[in-house]
Amino acid sequence: MAELTYDTLMDDGNYLGSERARMENQVILDELERKKKARNIAVPTDDNRVKARLREIGEPITLFGERPADRRDRLIYVLSQINHARGDDLMQVDEESSDGSEEEEESEFYTPGSLELLEARRKIAEYSLPRAQKRIAQQLIDSKMELGRIVDIRKKVFGEVKKFAILGSQIGDERPISQVRFSPNNEVLVTGSWSGTVKLWNVPACTPIRSLRGHSDRVGGVAWHPQATLSQSPDSANLVSGAADCNVHLWSLNSETPLSVLKGHQERVCRVAFHPSGNYVASASYDTSWRLWDVTTSQELLLQEGHSKEVYSVEFQTDGALIASGGLDAIGRVWDLRTGRTAMVLDGHVQGIYSIGFSPNGYQIATGAGDDTIRIWDMRSLKSLYTIPGHTSNVSDVRFFQANDMFFKKPQTPEPTSPDVNGDTEVSESSSKTDGPDPGASAPTFTPEEEWSYRSGLFFASAGYDGFVKLWSADDWQLLRTLTTDSGKVMSVDISSNGHMIAAGTYNRNFQLYSDLE
């Protein structure tokens, strides 16, 4: 298969090349048009009037586990289906909820962008297309895997996840630890704290390496360059941090002062993220915007509005094509960096969204919010798949396990037996006891390569203000393991890319390490 690039994408004539593909695309377009029209339906906001309207049209007034917001969404959906069946172009407006005033017509608006932003969008497209092609090709291979193999892989991986136990604890700073992140080589842990200090630690020894000082207020987020501690030079930008002093700092590993200070935000900066290419940085802020920065030039490329309240979290998709932002308006948005358009609106939480995590599969997103729940979203169906009542207080962080292929180790093959001086073959004592395979021990039905490929994204971790770190399966969303901490609030959590360590930063100024290795 030829590599998909930006140039070949423009010349691709096979898209919608068959009648079946055209029909499938038309169905998708019709559904999108129906949803667009459904947004113009005015329905009551009072729950009792919503129930009365549902009763009028012959629908159940409530479903098991349905909340008022879900019930109102169902009413909108039912009304849109009724109007679609009738062939009405204009949506019926509920008389009781309409005050007679004419609503402003919604229309798209465009914000002028710089030539640097245009070039960045093109580079992001060129970077993300081959990665998306490779990911989809691997998913196609995984989809053909036998069910028995999948079951065996899940048993093995989840069995290891359930072994996680406390490895050590270390006081990290004078004030609460706001975020923790493992380096790409899993040998260094970075912590950001409310004291304004960013610190580097050896793991699992938990010994300090260096303190990075430059912020004058609380550090809200830290993130590693994708190639930091691997191929990235220690003198280059390896770290990014954002703080309540409204600044974003880029750090090297050899200096205690920042390489560059990115200024532009008007309010506190919360979470920050490095683009998978390492060329761009995103920052979320209380000024109701998130911004995209060029790492090389330290220039602001994009100021993106779209939230009605403070933006708290931001995260890039693994391909690099999309970015998700979560705000204290309880709304999340997925943006296409190549076009600037909104790809999906994550509307379902009733409290602010504090964390967002992209699954390695590229199309699922997990959000943690102040309503104590974790919601799983599917970009293919543009809706919430599942709601996990994960914690009894705010969900402060969610992180999927993302495997790094450089940590994949093939099992060693047994050495062939050598003949002795008499020409006979040496046989070990254990092998001489049995003439054949042990009937009680079943050999795995999967290869190590299949297991490592399927393992990535198979589980994720969440942190909550109830003092727990919880590990969940990422296919049926069941609880696998609950890890206790010595604090009432867990501020952040991260999983190493080899899958053997978990770090948690807590409100009582320390961070804790967990390991599945005995």
Side-chain angles (χ1 to χ4, degrees):
M1 180 186 298
E3 182 176 299
L4 184 63
T5 65
Y6 183 82
D7 295 326
T8 58
L9 178 71
M10 303 297 291
D11 300 328
D12 187 4
N14 294 324
Y15 183 67
L16 300 181
S18 65
E19 186 64 26
R20 178 181 177 185
R22 290 192 183 93
M23 293 175 62
E24 291 177 351
N25 186 63
Q26 188 60 43
V27 171
I28 295 174
L29 292 177
D30 291 344
E31 179 66 13
L32 290 176
E33 184 66 20
R34 184 194 66 76
K35 291 181 178 180
K36 181 178 179 181
K37 292 180 178 180
R39 287 198 294 269
N40 295 325
I41 298 180
V43 297
T45 55
D46 181 71
D47 191 44
N48 291 327
R49 291 163 66 184
V50 170
K51 292 179 180 179
R53 190 73 177 92
L54 286 169
R55 185 181 288 111
E56 288 178 10
I57 59 180
E59 289 290 322
I61 63 171
T62 186
L63 300 177
F64 179 75
E66 189 176 52
R67 300 179 303 172
D70 299 328
R71 189 157 38 247
R72 187 171 182 271
D73 291 340
R74 181 161 62 90
L75 176 58
I76 294 176
Y77 176 77
V78 172
L79 289 177
S80 67
Q81 292 283 23
I82 292 175
N83 284 276
H84 181 71
R86 291 176 178 173
D88 296 340
D89 291 332
L90 297 177
M91 296 292 102
Q92 295 179 352
V93 179
D94 190 86
E95 297 179 356
E96 296 180 355
S97 62
S98 176
D99 57 359
S101 61
E102 295 183 358
E103 296 182 358
E104 296 182 0
E105 182 180 355
E106 295 184 2
S107 60
E108 289 184 325
F109 67 93
Y110 298 89
T111 303
S114 63
L115 293 177
E116 290 81 5
L117 176 59
L118 179 63
E119 182 62 22
R121 294 198 190 281
R122 181 182 178 90
K123 289 181 178 178
I124 289 173
E126 292 174 343
Y127 176 82
S128 62
L129 287 172
R131 289 171 64 93
Q133 182 186 31
K134 181 180 178 181
R135 171 178 56 82
I136 294 173
Q138 183 59 50
Q139 290 173 349
L140 183 61
I141 295 174
D142 293 342
S143 67
K144 298 177 181 178
M145 191 182 302
E146 298 176 0
L147 180 59
R149 293 187 176 189
I150 295 177
V151 171
D152 289 343
I153 292 175
R154 290 180 80 257
K155 286 182 179 179
K156 183 177 186 298
V157 173
F158 293 162
E160 295 175 357
V161 170
K162 292 177 181 179
K163 294 180 181 178
F164 271 100
I166 185 70
L167 181 64
S169 180
Q170 175 66 278
I171 296 178
D173 213 294
E174 299 172 353
R175 298 197 66 192
I177 304 296
S178 56
Q179 198 166 35
V180 295
R181 290 293 181 259
F182 283 106
S183 65
N185 69 354
N186 301 316
E187 297 177 2
V188 181
L189 183 75
V190 62
T191 61
S193 83
W194 284 8
S195 69
T197 305
V198 177
K199 292 186 178 182
L200 304 179
W201 304 82
N202 284 309
V203 288
C206 296
T207 55
I209 300 176
R210 182 174 285 109
S211 295
L212 310 179
R213 306 182 188 278
H215 290 293
S216 59
D217 207 336
R218 293 165 294 172
V219 173
V222 292
W224 288 94
H225 186 287
Q227 294 300 317
T229 67
L230 297 177
S231 60
Q232 182 80 341
S233 169
D235 297 322
S236 302
N238 283 258
L239 272 170
V240 63
S241 63
D245 57 8
C246 308
N247 294 331
V248 177
H249 288 184
L250 295 175
W251 307 87
S252 70
L253 298 181
N254 293 334
S255 175
E256 296 183 357
T257 57
L259 289 175
S260 179
V261 178
L262 312 180
K263 296 184 177 181
H265 282 294
Q266 303 302 313
E267 296 290 344
R268 166 188 173 189
V269 178
C270 299
R271 302 307 194 205
V272 292
F274 250 110
H275 188 268
S277 68
N279 297 325
Y280 310 99
V281 162
S283 56
S285 172
Y286 267 41
D287 60 10
T288 71
S289 74
W290 64 266
R291 306 191 186 208
L292 187 69
W293 310 82
D294 189 309
V295 174
T296 304
T297 63
S298 300
Q299 178 183 1
E300 178 187 302
L301 297 175
L302 173 66
L303 186 159
Q304 183 64 63
E305 298 175 321
H307 291 270
S308 60
K309 289 187 178 181
E310 297 87 344
V311 183
Y312 195 89
S313 56
V314 65
E315 188 70 25
F316 287 102
Q317 183 208 31
T318 51
D319 295 341
L322 306 175
I323 185 173
S325 60
L328 300 188
D329 54 2
I331 299 294
R333 290 183 178 271
V334 182
W335 310 83
D336 190 334
L337 290 170
R338 302 162 297 185
T339 63
R341 294 176 178 268
T342 299
M344 183 179 178
V345 178
L346 313 178
D347 187 3
H349 286 291
V350 295
Q351 295 290 334
I353 297 176
Y354 295 124
S355 58
I356 285 185
F358 266 103
S359 170
N361 62 26
Y363 56 83
Q364 286 181 336
I365 304 170
T367 55
D371 56 11
D372 311 341
T373 66
I374 303 166
R375 278 185 175 254
I376 308 298
W377 310 82
D378 193 315
M379 293 193 60
R380 301 170 301 179
S381 59
L382 298 177
K383 66 179 182 181
S384 174
L385 280 182
Y386 200 82
T387 301
I388 306 173
H391 295 265
T392 57
S393 190
N394 296 351
V395 181
S396 57
D397 207 358
V398 288
R399 296 288 287 178
F400 280 91
F401 167 60
Q402 301 200 24
N404 189 332
D405 290 343
M406 69 173 292
F407 296 106
F408 170 69
K409 297 180 180 179
K410 290 186 177 181
Q412 297 181 352
T413 56
E415 298 181 359
T417 56
S418 57
D420 60 11
V421 292
N422 297 323
D424 298 329
T425 301
E426 294 182 355
V427 180
S428 64
E429 182 179 353
S430 58
S431 62
S432 63
K433 293 181 181 179
T434 57
D435 296 332
D438 184 4
S442 58
T445 60
F446 53 86
T447 64
E449 290 82 0
E450 288 177 331
E451 180 208 338
W452 184 255
S453 173
Y454 199 83
R455 175 189 290 260
S456 186
L458 196 54
F459 65 96
F460 71 95
S462 66
Y465 274 21
D466 54 3
F468 294 108
V469 171
K470 296 188 177 182
L471 306 179
W472 309 85
S473 62
D475 49 8
D476 59 0
W477 321 113
Q478 299 302 306
L479 180 63
L480 299 175
R481 179 80 165 144
T482 299
L483 303 174
T484 59
T485 65
D486 55 6
S487 173
K489 297 178 182 178
V490 183
M491 311 288 284
S492 177
V493 68
D494 195 25
I495 306 174
S496 63
S497 57
N498 60 11
H500 292 313
M501 284 190 294
I502 293 176
T506 64
Y507 188 79
N508 68 348
R509 306 172 300 156
N510 71 5
F511 66 88
Q512 294 179 279
L513 289 181
Y514 305 86
S515 175
D516 64 345
L517 300 177
E518 297 178 356

